[in-house]
Amino acid sequence: MMPFNELVLASHNAGKLKELQAMLGTAVRVRSVGEFSDVEPEETGLSFIENAILKARNAARVSGLPALADDSGLAVDHLGGAPGIYSARYAGGQGDAANNAKLLEVLKNVPDAQRGAQFVCALALVRHAEDPLPIICEGLWQGRILHAPRGEQGFGYDPLFWVPERDCSSAELAPADKNQLSHRARAMALLKARLGIA
Ligand SMILES: O=P(O)(O)OP(=O)(O)OP(=O)(O)OC[C@H]1O[C@@H](n2cnc3c(O)ncnc32)[C@H](O)[C@@H]1O
Ligand SMILES: [Mg+2]
């Protein structure tokens, strides 16, 4: 049983919000933190988990509701896991297109065998702003970085992320398929199991 019937999603990213909402379905009434505040908390943590907790606490504080945050990113093997927790700010906070262009440039001339990467997602759920026991669930998605963007779906690094099990980029997947396979889908499946929702 879901321990509450309303939940605020602690994200300002439209792509993420859409995916999280689709995955949660009708189990709970979902609000977005943007309804309560435009101020994005600084992501000062050193891990996906710390940043997810920090965003969840902030959303619970401004909304007075239980909050679910997602901190995610792309970890590229050849770059020692970069951009990692800095994925959103990789090109200095200039947005997805600039981040993707920088990644392609940094990996120019790097052969396929060394272009392995994984998407990482940490979900943090807090029942209230000072919850001493946040629920944390993680998900990983293995793939490879393409040499040029492909596909129009999704958001962020999706056009550069090759999905070996489907032979296409993650931006070429139908949204419903991405929501079955992705790092976020895996973390959400664990969270739903933990909360006892189907
Ligand atoms: O913090 P919030 O408000 O949730 O929104 P954000 O976009 O800043 O989110 P993060 O701090 O977690 O940074 C995630 C970065 O990783 C990228 N990313 C995460 N999940 C992704 C996915 O499923 N597909 C493509 N890129 C993704 C995303 O585009 C960002 O650059
Ligand atoms: Mg962020």
Side-chain angles (χ1 to χ4, degrees):
M1 248 317 255
M2 196 75 158
F4 37 78
N5 49 29
E6 208 174 11
L7 180 69
V8 62
L9 295 180
S11 177
H12 294 270
N13 178 318
K16 244 192 219 185
L17 285 168
K18 208 168 158 189
E19 292 185 5
L20 290 168
Q21 229 150 13
M23 290 175 201
L24 280 165
T26 54
V28 63
R29 175 159 184 240
V30 173
R31 312 281 297 271
S32 141
V33 68
E35 294 176 40
F36 303 94
S37 170
D38 288 334
V39 185
E40 295 190 34
E42 248 194 285
E43 297 180 25
T44 53
L46 287 180
S47 64
F48 294 102
I49 293 172
E50 287 167 281
N51 284 337
I53 293 174
L54 185 152
K55 288 189 273 190
R57 289 199 193 291
N58 173 72
R61 187 174 49 75
V62 298
S63 68
L65 291 170
L68 175 64
D70 164 311
D71 199 57
S72 45
L74 183 67
V76 180
D77 299 343
H78 184 72
L79 305 177
I85 60 167
Y86 305 107
S87 293
R89 299 165 263 173
Y90 191 42
Q94 297 178 74
D96 292 344
N99 288 339
N100 286 0
K102 177 169 175 182
L103 184 61
L104 283 179
E105 179 61 27
V106 167
L107 293 179
K108 202 168 58 180
N109 303 325
V110 175
D112 281 351
Q114 289 165 46
R115 297 176 80 94
Q118 53 195 321
F119 270 129
V120 180
C121 174
L123 294 175
L125 178 70
V126 298
R127 282 148 281 225
H128 56 85
E130 273 125 53
D131 190 341
L133 195 59
I135 296 175
I136 307 296
C137 295
E138 292 145 46
L140 301 180
W141 195 18
Q142 304 289 344
R144 181 160 53 71
I145 305 303
L146 287 161
H147 294 266
R150 284 179 60 156
E152 306 291 335
Q153 306 283 334
F155 65 95
Y157 295 93
D158 280 333
L160 297 185
F161 189 76
W162 181 251
V163 180
E165 67 264 41
R166 290 296 169 92
D167 259 0
C168 68
S169 86
S170 114
E172 292 174 313
L173 287 172
D177 288 342
K178 184 185 171 195
N179 287 347
Q180 296 281 329
L181 296 171
S182 76
H183 50 317
R184 187 162 296 107
R186 287 169 200 211
M188 183 60 88
L190 294 174
L191 181 66
K192 284 176 153 185
R194 174 77 184 267
L195 295 175
I197 45 178

